[in-house]
Amino acid sequence: MQKIEKMESLREAYGNELAALGEKNRDIVVLDADLSSSTKTGVFGKKFPDRFYNMGISEQSMVSTAAGLSLSGKTVFASTFAVFLSNTYNVIRQSVCYNEAPVNFVVTHSGITVGEDGPTHQILEDVGIMSGLPNMKVIVPVDSVETTSVTDYLSVKKPSPYYVRLTREKFPVLNESNYEFHEGKSVTFRDGSDITIMAYGIMVSFALKAAEILRGKGIDTRVVNMSSIKPLDRTAIVKAARETGKIVTAEEHSIYNGLGSRVAEVTGEEYPVPILRIGMPDIFGKSGKGMELFDYFHIGVNDIVEKTDKFFKRDYI
C-alpha cells in the first residue's frame, strides 16, 4: 500500500504556536494588517487581545509600530501576506533594518501556491528582496514542524530582524516532532553521491520524490533542506560541491536573487561546480490551482526529474 503523506498547514502551526508561547512570555506582542484570520495570528488575538494590534490595511504603519515596540523591549511578531509586506520595503529598510530593530516578520500566502489569487498576489521576488537588506535574516520552513520550531526560536528575542516565509497550501510533514531549527544550518534529508538538490519550502518534498525516481535511473541524489537562506550554510554547499560535483537548486521563487543565486555565489567563491537553477524564470505567476501551477510552470516533480537527469548527463569541459 502506498504511504499516505501527512499534510499540515504551516500558517496554522504558526498561529497555534504563537498563542501557546503567549502563555509563557508576556513580552510577546503581535501585529497584523487586517488579515489575522488568514495569517492565523487571530488565534493569539483571541487569547491575548491586550497584546494584539490589528493595524488595518496600513502595512507601513504596522512596520513602523512594530519597530518601535521591538526597540522598547517587546518581542514582536508582525504578519500579513508576503506581497503586501514587500510593498513597505523602504519602511522596513529605514525603520527596522537600519535601526537593527528585532522584528519578526512572519508572512503567509507567498509564491505560486497562492493559486487563484493570481499574479498580483503571487510574489516570487521576496526572498531576494529581504535577503538584500542589511541585518535581515531570512527563513523558509519546509513543513509545519519546522514552522513551529522557528516560531519558538524567535520567541526568545534576537538582536536582528527576521523574515519568515509561509504559504497558503498545506505541505507534507517531513520532520520528526522533536526537530529543532538551527539558524544557518541545513538538513540533509537524503544522502547521495552523484548529484545534490538543494531546496526550501514545498520544493524539498518535490526533490525527495524526484530523488526516488532518479534512483531508478541510476542517479544517487542528495537532497538538502536549505530553510535558512540568510545566514546560509556555506559549509554544506561546499561539501556538496566537493562530494557530488554538480548542484541543482529548486525553489518556489524567481531564479534571480533566490537560493540558486546564493548557492552559485558560494561555489563561485570557494569551489566552482556546474549549477542548475530550477524555479520561476523572469515572469509573473498565473491564476490557477496552487499545486497545479508547478506543472504548468515546469517546476513540478517530473520536471525536476527530467531537468536533473539531463543536467547530470551533460559533459562539461
Side-chain angles (χ1 to χ4, degrees):
M1 182 180 293
Q2 185 177 6
K3 183 180 178 182
I4 299 175
E5 289 182 315
K6 183 180 180 182
M7 307 287 286
E8 289 186 357
S9 167
L10 280 65
R11 55 191 172 121
E12 287 181 3
Y14 164 59
N16 292 334
E17 184 65 8
L18 203 56
L21 291 166
E23 299 271 7
K24 307 171 189 175
N25 185 348
R26 298 291 300 177
D27 284 332
I28 292 178
V29 296
V30 178
L31 291 78
D32 204 293
D34 208 35
L35 288 169
S36 59
S37 62
S38 295
T39 64
K40 304 305 178 183
T41 60
V43 181
F44 182 96
K46 288 178 181 178
K47 291 184 71 173
F48 310 104
D50 58 325
R51 290 187 276 145
F52 178 76
Y53 304 92
N54 183 353
M55 304 300 294
I57 306 174
S58 182
E59 290 82 7
Q60 292 188 353
S61 295
M62 182 185 74
V63 171
S64 57
T65 302
L69 286 168
S70 69
L71 292 171
S72 298
K74 298 297 183 182
T75 301
V76 181
F77 287 83
S79 296
T80 184
F81 288 4
V83 71
F84 298 146
L85 188 72
S86 70
N87 291 340
T88 72
Y89 175 84
N90 193 54
V91 184
I92 294 173
R93 184 182 187 274
Q94 309 295 69
S95 298
V96 177
C97 293
Y98 179 73
N99 291 296
E100 297 183 58
V103 179
N104 300 313
F105 294 110
V106 183
V107 299
T108 65
H109 294 65
S110 63
I112 57 174
T113 44
V114 177
E116 291 86 349
D117 286 1
T120 57
H121 285 54
Q122 296 166 353
I123 189 162
L124 304 168
E125 316 87 51
D126 54 322
V127 169
I129 290 169
M130 296 300 166
S131 294
L133 285 167
N135 300 317
M136 182 69 81
K137 308 290 184 65
V138 179
I139 303 168
V140 188
V142 71
D143 62 8
S144 60
V145 175
E146 186 164 45
T147 300
T148 298
S149 184
V150 168
T151 306
D152 189 58
Y153 175 75
L154 296 181
S155 70
V156 179
K157 194 170 183 180
K158 303 295 186 292
S160 62
Y162 285 79
Y163 180 81
V164 182
R165 187 191 206 229
L166 306 182
T167 64
R168 168 190 272 176
E169 292 278 356
K170 293 181 178 181
F171 286 1
V173 178
L174 302 180
N175 285 298
E176 298 295 332
S177 59
N178 62 350
Y179 165 81
E180 289 186 16
F181 169 78
H182 294 282
E183 182 179 308
K185 297 295 182 182
S186 63
V187 176
T188 300
F189 275 111
R190 189 182 191 281
D191 205 1
S193 58
D194 290 331
I195 197 166
T196 298
I197 301 178
M198 292 185 161
Y200 57 72
I202 188 65
M203 301 301 280
V204 178
S205 64
F206 286 4
L208 287 168
K209 292 175 183 177
E212 284 300 309
I213 299 172
L214 289 165
R215 182 174 64 175
K217 296 176 177 287
I219 303 173
D220 189 20
T221 307
R222 182 178 304 181
V223 177
V224 183
N225 173 28
M226 302 293 288
S227 58
S228 181
I229 301 296
K230 183 186 176 188
L232 195 63
D233 191 344
R234 297 176 69 94
T235 300
I237 295 170
V238 175
K239 185 174 186 287
R242 289 181 182 276
E243 294 178 354
T244 68
K246 293 178 181 178
I247 297 176
V248 176
T249 60
E251 54 193 319
E252 185 195 355
H253 185 272
S254 171
I255 60 171
Y256 298 101
N257 302 317
L259 176 64
S261 296
R262 301 290 91 81
V263 171
E265 290 165 6
V266 174
T267 56
E269 290 172 351
E270 300 196 35
Y271 198 88
V273 296
I275 303 288
L276 172 65
R277 296 174 298 159
I278 297 176
M280 295 290 286
D282 192 20
I283 58 174
F284 288 99
K286 189 178 182 69
S287 180
K289 293 188 180 299
M291 299 308 287
E292 293 179 3
L293 288 173
F294 288 96
D295 293 331
Y296 179 86
F297 287 113
H298 304 293
I299 58 173
V301 174
N302 291 333
D303 301 292
I304 295 173
V305 171
E306 181 181 353
K307 292 176 181 180
T308 302
D309 185 28
K310 288 181 180 179
F311 179 62
F312 175 72
K313 293 174 181 175
R314 182 178 171 185
D315 292 326
Y316 291 85
I317 298 175

